Short mmCIF file of all heavy atoms in Angstrom, two decimals:
data_model
loop_
_atom_site.label_atom_id
_atom_site.label_comp_id
_atom_site.label_asym_id
_atom_site.label_seq_id
_atom_site.Cartn_x
_atom_site.Cartn_y
_atom_site.Cartn_z
N GLY G 29 25.36 1.36 23.00
CA GLY G 29 25.16 -0.05 22.67
C GLY G 29 23.74 -0.41 22.31
O GLY G 29 23.28 -1.51 22.58
N LYS G 30 23.05 0.50 21.65
CA LYS G 30 21.62 0.34 21.42
C LYS G 30 21.31 0.18 19.94
O LYS G 30 21.78 0.95 19.11
CB LYS G 30 20.88 1.55 21.99
CG LYS G 30 19.38 1.51 21.87
CD LYS G 30 18.77 2.80 22.44
CE LYS G 30 17.27 2.84 22.25
NZ LYS G 30 16.69 4.14 22.68
N ALA G 31 20.51 -0.83 19.61
CA ALA G 31 20.07 -1.04 18.23
C ALA G 31 18.91 -0.11 17.91
O ALA G 31 18.17 0.32 18.82
CB ALA G 31 19.65 -2.49 18.04
N PRO G 32 18.68 0.21 16.63
CA PRO G 32 17.55 1.06 16.27
C PRO G 32 16.22 0.35 16.50
O PRO G 32 16.14 -0.87 16.48
CB PRO G 32 17.76 1.32 14.78
CG PRO G 32 18.57 0.15 14.31
CD PRO G 32 19.45 -0.22 15.45
N GLU G 33 15.19 1.15 16.75
CA GLU G 33 13.84 0.58 16.93
C GLU G 33 13.02 0.60 15.67
O GLU G 33 12.03 -0.13 15.55
CB GLU G 33 13.08 1.35 18.02
CG GLU G 33 13.64 1.24 19.41
CD GLU G 33 14.60 2.37 19.77
OE1 GLU G 33 14.80 3.26 18.91
OE2 GLU G 33 15.13 2.38 20.90
N ILE G 34 13.41 1.46 14.70
CA ILE G 34 12.58 1.69 13.51
C ILE G 34 13.42 1.56 12.25
O ILE G 34 14.56 2.03 12.19
CB ILE G 34 11.93 3.10 13.55
CG1 ILE G 34 10.96 3.20 14.74
CG2 ILE G 34 11.21 3.41 12.25
CD1 ILE G 34 10.54 4.60 15.05
N GLN G 35 12.86 0.89 11.27
CA GLN G 35 13.43 0.83 9.92
C GLN G 35 12.44 1.46 8.96
O GLN G 35 11.22 1.40 9.18
CB GLN G 35 13.70 -0.62 9.54
CG GLN G 35 14.31 -0.83 8.16
CD GLN G 35 14.49 -2.31 7.82
OE1 GLN G 35 14.06 -3.18 8.57
NE2 GLN G 35 15.14 -2.62 6.70
N PHE G 36 12.93 2.10 7.92
CA PHE G 36 12.06 2.60 6.86
C PHE G 36 12.41 1.90 5.55
O PHE G 36 13.57 1.65 5.25
CB PHE G 36 12.26 4.11 6.64
CG PHE G 36 11.56 4.98 7.62
CD1 PHE G 36 12.26 5.66 8.61
CD2 PHE G 36 10.18 5.15 7.56
CE1 PHE G 36 11.62 6.47 9.51
CE2 PHE G 36 9.53 5.96 8.46
CZ PHE G 36 10.25 6.63 9.44
N HIS G 37 11.38 1.60 4.77
CA HIS G 37 11.54 1.23 3.36
C HIS G 37 10.88 2.32 2.52
O HIS G 37 9.78 2.79 2.87
CB HIS G 37 10.87 -0.10 3.05
CG HIS G 37 11.64 -1.29 3.51
ND1 HIS G 37 11.15 -2.58 3.38
CD2 HIS G 37 12.86 -1.42 4.09
CE1 HIS G 37 12.03 -3.43 3.87
NE2 HIS G 37 13.06 -2.76 4.31
N LEU G 38 11.53 2.69 1.45
CA LEU G 38 10.93 3.57 0.45
C LEU G 38 10.46 2.72 -0.71
O LEU G 38 11.27 2.08 -1.39
CB LEU G 38 11.96 4.60 -0.04
CG LEU G 38 11.55 5.44 -1.26
CD1 LEU G 38 10.38 6.36 -0.91
CD2 LEU G 38 12.73 6.23 -1.80
N HIS G 39 9.13 2.69 -0.92
CA HIS G 39 8.54 1.89 -2.00
C HIS G 39 8.11 2.86 -3.09
O HIS G 39 7.19 3.66 -2.89
CB HIS G 39 7.35 1.10 -1.47
CG HIS G 39 6.87 0.04 -2.40
ND1 HIS G 39 5.57 -0.09 -2.79
CD2 HIS G 39 7.54 -0.96 -3.05
CE1 HIS G 39 5.43 -1.12 -3.62
NE2 HIS G 39 6.61 -1.65 -3.78
N SER G 40 8.78 2.79 -4.24
CA SER G 40 8.64 3.83 -5.25
C SER G 40 7.57 3.56 -6.29
O SER G 40 7.52 4.22 -7.32
CB SER G 40 9.99 4.03 -5.97
OG SER G 40 10.98 4.41 -5.05
N VAL G 41 6.70 2.59 -6.03
CA VAL G 41 5.64 2.25 -6.99
C VAL G 41 4.40 3.10 -6.70
O VAL G 41 3.96 3.19 -5.56
CB VAL G 41 5.30 0.76 -6.93
CG1 VAL G 41 4.16 0.42 -7.87
CG2 VAL G 41 6.54 -0.07 -7.27
N HIS G 42 3.83 3.68 -7.73
CA HIS G 42 2.69 4.57 -7.58
C HIS G 42 1.41 3.83 -7.21
O HIS G 42 1.11 2.76 -7.75
CB HIS G 42 2.44 5.32 -8.90
CG HIS G 42 1.07 5.94 -9.01
ND1 HIS G 42 0.66 6.97 -8.21
CD2 HIS G 42 0.02 5.66 -9.82
CE1 HIS G 42 -0.58 7.30 -8.54
NE2 HIS G 42 -0.99 6.52 -9.51
N GLY G 43 0.68 4.43 -6.30
CA GLY G 43 -0.73 4.11 -6.08
C GLY G 43 -1.01 2.73 -5.53
O GLY G 43 -0.13 1.94 -5.26
N PHE G 44 -2.30 2.44 -5.38
CA PHE G 44 -2.74 1.20 -4.78
C PHE G 44 -3.63 0.43 -5.74
O PHE G 44 -3.60 -0.79 -5.75
CB PHE G 44 -3.42 1.48 -3.45
CG PHE G 44 -2.44 2.14 -2.53
CD1 PHE G 44 -2.35 3.51 -2.43
CD2 PHE G 44 -1.50 1.37 -1.86
CE1 PHE G 44 -1.38 4.10 -1.65
CE2 PHE G 44 -0.53 1.95 -1.08
CZ PHE G 44 -0.47 3.32 -0.97
N THR G 45 -4.38 1.11 -6.59
CA THR G 45 -5.04 0.39 -7.66
C THR G 45 -3.98 -0.10 -8.65
O THR G 45 -4.12 -1.15 -9.26
CB THR G 45 -6.05 1.29 -8.39
OG1 THR G 45 -5.42 2.50 -8.78
CG2 THR G 45 -7.22 1.59 -7.48
N GLU G 46 -2.89 0.65 -8.80
CA GLU G 46 -1.80 0.24 -9.69
C GLU G 46 -1.03 -0.94 -9.11
O GLU G 46 -0.39 -1.70 -9.82
CB GLU G 46 -0.84 1.41 -9.91
CG GLU G 46 -1.50 2.63 -10.51
CD GLU G 46 -0.99 2.95 -11.90
OE1 GLU G 46 0.00 2.35 -12.31
OE2 GLU G 46 -1.59 3.79 -12.58
N ASN G 47 -1.05 -1.06 -7.78
CA ASN G 47 -0.26 -2.08 -7.11
C ASN G 47 -1.20 -3.07 -6.42
O ASN G 47 -0.94 -3.53 -5.32
CB ASN G 47 0.65 -1.40 -6.08
CG ASN G 47 1.79 -2.29 -5.64
OD1 ASN G 47 2.18 -3.21 -6.35
ND2 ASN G 47 2.31 -2.02 -4.47
N GLU G 48 -2.31 -3.39 -7.10
CA GLU G 48 -3.38 -4.16 -6.47
C GLU G 48 -2.93 -5.54 -6.05
O GLU G 48 -3.35 -6.04 -5.00
CB GLU G 48 -4.57 -4.25 -7.44
CG GLU G 48 -5.78 -4.92 -6.83
CD GLU G 48 -7.02 -4.77 -7.70
OE1 GLU G 48 -7.01 -3.92 -8.59
OE2 GLU G 48 -7.98 -5.49 -7.46
N LYS G 49 -2.08 -6.18 -6.83
CA LYS G 49 -1.67 -7.54 -6.48
C LYS G 49 -1.01 -7.59 -5.11
O LYS G 49 -1.27 -8.49 -4.31
CB LYS G 49 -0.72 -8.09 -7.55
CG LYS G 49 -0.10 -9.44 -7.21
CD LYS G 49 -1.13 -10.53 -6.97
CE LYS G 49 -0.49 -11.84 -6.60
NZ LYS G 49 -1.45 -12.87 -6.21
N GLN G 50 -0.16 -6.59 -4.82
CA GLN G 50 0.51 -6.58 -3.52
C GLN G 50 -0.51 -6.51 -2.40
O GLN G 50 -0.41 -7.20 -1.38
CB GLN G 50 1.46 -5.38 -3.43
CG GLN G 50 2.22 -5.28 -2.11
CD GLN G 50 3.18 -6.44 -1.90
OE1 GLN G 50 4.11 -6.63 -2.67
NE2 GLN G 50 2.96 -7.22 -0.87
N PHE G 51 -1.54 -5.70 -2.57
CA PHE G 51 -2.52 -5.56 -1.50
C PHE G 51 -3.47 -6.75 -1.43
O PHE G 51 -4.00 -7.07 -0.37
CB PHE G 51 -3.27 -4.22 -1.65
CG PHE G 51 -2.51 -3.09 -1.03
CD1 PHE G 51 -1.45 -2.51 -1.69
CD2 PHE G 51 -2.82 -2.65 0.23
CE1 PHE G 51 -0.71 -1.50 -1.11
CE2 PHE G 51 -2.08 -1.64 0.83
CZ PHE G 51 -1.04 -1.07 0.16
N GLU G 52 -3.70 -7.42 -2.54
CA GLU G 52 -4.46 -8.68 -2.49
C GLU G 52 -3.75 -9.69 -1.60
O GLU G 52 -4.38 -10.48 -0.90
CB GLU G 52 -4.62 -9.25 -3.90
CG GLU G 52 -5.66 -8.53 -4.74
CD GLU G 52 -5.79 -9.16 -6.12
OE1 GLU G 52 -4.97 -10.06 -6.44
OE2 GLU G 52 -6.67 -8.75 -6.88
N ASN G 53 -2.43 -9.65 -1.60
CA ASN G 53 -1.66 -10.59 -0.79
C ASN G 53 -1.84 -10.36 0.70
O ASN G 53 -1.46 -11.21 1.50
CB ASN G 53 -0.18 -10.50 -1.16
CG ASN G 53 0.12 -10.99 -2.56
OD1 ASN G 53 -0.64 -11.77 -3.12
ND2 ASN G 53 1.21 -10.55 -3.14
N PHE G 54 -2.38 -9.23 1.08
CA PHE G 54 -2.53 -8.90 2.50
C PHE G 54 -3.84 -9.41 3.09
O PHE G 54 -4.16 -9.13 4.25
CB PHE G 54 -2.42 -7.40 2.72
CG PHE G 54 -1.05 -6.84 2.43
CD1 PHE G 54 -0.90 -5.55 1.96
CD2 PHE G 54 0.09 -7.62 2.60
CE1 PHE G 54 0.36 -5.03 1.69
CE2 PHE G 54 1.35 -7.12 2.32
CZ PHE G 54 1.49 -5.81 1.87
N ASN G 55 -4.66 -10.11 2.31
CA ASN G 55 -5.88 -10.72 2.83
C ASN G 55 -6.90 -9.68 3.29
O ASN G 55 -7.60 -9.87 4.31
CB ASN G 55 -5.54 -11.67 4.00
CG ASN G 55 -6.65 -12.64 4.32
OD1 ASN G 55 -7.30 -13.16 3.43
ND2 ASN G 55 -6.90 -12.87 5.60
N LEU G 56 -7.03 -8.59 2.56
CA LEU G 56 -7.97 -7.54 2.94
C LEU G 56 -9.40 -8.05 2.91
O LEU G 56 -9.78 -8.82 2.03
CB LEU G 56 -7.85 -6.35 1.98
CG LEU G 56 -6.49 -5.63 1.91
CD1 LEU G 56 -6.57 -4.48 0.93
CD2 LEU G 56 -6.06 -5.15 3.28
N ASN G 57 -10.18 -7.61 3.88
CA ASN G 57 -11.59 -7.98 3.87
C ASN G 57 -12.34 -7.18 2.79
O ASN G 57 -11.80 -6.24 2.20
CB ASN G 57 -12.23 -7.81 5.25
CG ASN G 57 -12.18 -6.39 5.76
OD1 ASN G 57 -12.29 -5.43 5.00
ND2 ASN G 57 -12.00 -6.23 7.07
N GLU G 58 -13.58 -7.58 2.54
CA GLU G 58 -14.33 -6.99 1.41
C GLU G 58 -14.53 -5.49 1.57
O GLU G 58 -14.38 -4.74 0.62
CB GLU G 58 -15.69 -7.70 1.28
CG GLU G 58 -16.47 -7.28 0.05
CD GLU G 58 -17.74 -8.09 -0.14
OE1 GLU G 58 -17.89 -9.12 0.57
OE2 GLU G 58 -18.57 -7.70 -0.97
N LYS G 59 -14.86 -5.07 2.77
CA LYS G 59 -15.06 -3.64 3.01
C LYS G 59 -13.81 -2.84 2.69
O LYS G 59 -13.86 -1.80 2.03
CB LYS G 59 -15.48 -3.42 4.47
CG LYS G 59 -15.60 -1.96 4.85
CD LYS G 59 -15.91 -1.81 6.34
CE LYS G 59 -15.93 -0.34 6.75
NZ LYS G 59 -16.17 -0.18 8.21
N THR G 60 -12.67 -3.35 3.15
CA THR G 60 -11.42 -2.63 2.92
C THR G 60 -11.05 -2.64 1.45
O THR G 60 -10.60 -1.63 0.90
CB THR G 60 -10.29 -3.25 3.76
OG1 THR G 60 -10.70 -3.30 5.13
CG2 THR G 60 -9.01 -2.44 3.64
N ARG G 61 -11.22 -3.78 0.79
CA ARG G 61 -10.92 -3.86 -0.64
C ARG G 61 -11.76 -2.85 -1.42
O ARG G 61 -11.24 -2.14 -2.29
CB ARG G 61 -11.20 -5.27 -1.17
CG ARG G 61 -10.10 -6.28 -0.87
CD ARG G 61 -10.46 -7.62 -1.53
NE ARG G 61 -10.74 -7.44 -2.96
CZ ARG G 61 -9.81 -7.35 -3.88
NH1 ARG G 61 -8.54 -7.42 -3.55
NH2 ARG G 61 -10.14 -7.19 -5.14
N ASP G 62 -13.04 -2.80 -1.12
CA ASP G 62 -13.91 -1.86 -1.84
C ASP G 62 -13.45 -0.42 -1.63
O ASP G 62 -13.46 0.39 -2.55
CB ASP G 62 -15.35 -2.02 -1.36
CG ASP G 62 -16.00 -3.31 -1.82
OD1 ASP G 62 -15.42 -3.96 -2.72
OD2 ASP G 62 -17.05 -3.67 -1.28
N LEU G 63 -13.01 -0.14 -0.42
CA LEU G 63 -12.57 1.21 -0.10
C LEU G 63 -11.25 1.53 -0.80
O LEU G 63 -11.11 2.57 -1.45
CB LEU G 63 -12.42 1.36 1.42
CG LEU G 63 -11.96 2.73 1.92
CD1 LEU G 63 -12.98 3.80 1.56
CD2 LEU G 63 -11.74 2.69 3.42
N VAL G 64 -10.30 0.62 -0.69
CA VAL G 64 -8.96 0.89 -1.20
C VAL G 64 -8.94 0.94 -2.73
O VAL G 64 -8.27 1.76 -3.34
CB VAL G 64 -7.96 -0.17 -0.68
CG1 VAL G 64 -6.61 -0.04 -1.38
CG2 VAL G 64 -7.81 -0.04 0.82
N PHE G 65 -9.70 0.05 -3.37
CA PHE G 65 -9.60 -0.08 -4.82
C PHE G 65 -10.76 0.58 -5.58
O PHE G 65 -10.80 0.51 -6.80
CB PHE G 65 -9.52 -1.55 -5.20
CG PHE G 65 -8.34 -2.26 -4.61
CD1 PHE G 65 -8.49 -3.43 -3.89
CD2 PHE G 65 -7.07 -1.74 -4.77
CE1 PHE G 65 -7.40 -4.07 -3.34
CE2 PHE G 65 -5.96 -2.37 -4.23
CZ PHE G 65 -6.14 -3.54 -3.50
N SER G 66 -11.69 1.20 -4.87
CA SER G 66 -12.84 1.78 -5.56
C SER G 66 -12.51 3.06 -6.30
O SER G 66 -13.11 3.39 -7.31
CB SER G 66 -13.97 2.05 -4.56
OG SER G 66 -13.53 2.97 -3.56
N THR G 67 -11.51 3.78 -5.78
CA THR G 67 -11.17 5.07 -6.36
C THR G 67 -9.70 5.09 -6.73
O THR G 67 -8.85 4.84 -5.88
CB THR G 67 -11.46 6.22 -5.36
OG1 THR G 67 -12.80 6.12 -4.92
CG2 THR G 67 -11.21 7.57 -6.02
N ALA G 68 -9.41 5.39 -7.98
CA ALA G 68 -8.01 5.45 -8.41
C ALA G 68 -7.34 6.66 -7.78
O ALA G 68 -7.94 7.72 -7.59
CB ALA G 68 -7.95 5.55 -9.93
N VAL G 69 -6.06 6.49 -7.45
CA VAL G 69 -5.26 7.61 -6.98
C VAL G 69 -4.65 8.26 -8.22
O VAL G 69 -3.65 7.78 -8.75
CB VAL G 69 -4.16 7.12 -5.99
CG1 VAL G 69 -3.32 8.30 -5.51
CG2 VAL G 69 -4.78 6.39 -4.82
N ASN G 70 -5.29 9.33 -8.68
CA ASN G 70 -4.87 9.92 -9.94
C ASN G 70 -3.55 10.69 -9.79
O ASN G 70 -2.76 10.75 -10.72
CB ASN G 70 -5.96 10.85 -10.47
CG ASN G 70 -7.21 10.07 -10.85
OD1 ASN G 70 -7.11 9.00 -11.45
ND2 ASN G 70 -8.37 10.60 -10.52
N GLN G 71 -3.34 11.28 -8.63
CA GLN G 71 -2.11 12.02 -8.42
C GLN G 71 -0.97 11.04 -8.17
O GLN G 71 -1.14 9.99 -7.57
CB GLN G 71 -2.25 12.95 -7.21
CG GLN G 71 -1.10 13.93 -7.06
CD GLN G 71 -1.39 14.97 -5.99
OE1 GLN G 71 -2.55 15.20 -5.63
NE2 GLN G 71 -0.34 15.61 -5.48
N SER G 72 0.20 11.38 -8.69
CA SER G 72 1.38 10.55 -8.51
C SER G 72 1.64 10.28 -7.03
O SER G 72 1.44 11.16 -6.19
CB SER G 72 2.58 11.23 -9.15
OG SER G 72 3.76 10.48 -8.95
N SER G 73 2.10 9.07 -6.70
CA SER G 73 2.32 8.73 -5.30
C SER G 73 3.41 7.68 -5.13
O SER G 73 3.78 6.99 -6.07
CB SER G 73 1.01 8.21 -4.68
OG SER G 73 0.65 6.97 -5.23
N PHE G 74 3.90 7.59 -3.91
CA PHE G 74 4.81 6.52 -3.50
C PHE G 74 4.46 6.18 -2.05
O PHE G 74 3.50 6.74 -1.49
CB PHE G 74 6.28 6.93 -3.65
CG PHE G 74 6.69 8.11 -2.82
CD1 PHE G 74 7.24 7.95 -1.56
CD2 PHE G 74 6.56 9.41 -3.32
CE1 PHE G 74 7.64 9.03 -0.80
CE2 PHE G 74 6.94 10.51 -2.56
CZ PHE G 74 7.48 10.32 -1.30
N SER G 75 5.19 5.27 -1.45
CA SER G 75 4.89 4.87 -0.07
C SER G 75 6.12 4.91 0.80
O SER G 75 7.22 4.54 0.37
CB SER G 75 4.30 3.44 -0.02
OG SER G 75 3.07 3.38 -0.68
N MET G 76 5.92 5.34 2.04
CA MET G 76 6.91 5.18 3.09
C MET G 76 6.44 4.08 4.02
O MET G 76 5.25 4.03 4.38
CB MET G 76 7.09 6.49 3.85
CG MET G 76 7.78 7.58 3.05
SD MET G 76 9.52 7.22 2.73
CE MET G 76 10.19 7.32 4.39
#
């Protein structure tokens, strides 16, 4: 009679510079923004 504790979403969009608008919505501070968006993720990627 137990519900799960964890859910997963598979987000199939590549990278974080490519998906910058989504991360802007998270209210990142300046240090984090500079870190996350300063270097492009050249290798193909997705998110779990």
Side-chain angles (χ1 to χ4, degrees):
K30 182 182 176 185
E33 294 94 1
I34 295 167
Q35 181 182 6
F36 280 107
H37 283 176
L38 170 67
H39 193 231
S40 300
V41 177
H42 162 67
F44 299 93
T45 52
E46 301 246 350
N47 198 23
E48 185 169 344
K49 173 59 181 173
Q50 181 65 62
F51 276 79
E52 284 180 353
N53 292 337
F54 294 149
N55 197 40
L56 299 181
N57 60 36
E58 186 174 349
K59 175 184 176 182
T60 306
R61 281 184 53 82
D62 289 347
L63 180 63
V64 172
F65 300 127
S66 61
T67 306
V69 180
N70 294 319
Q71 189 171 340
S72 177
S73 68
F74 61 93
S75 295
M76 289 291 292

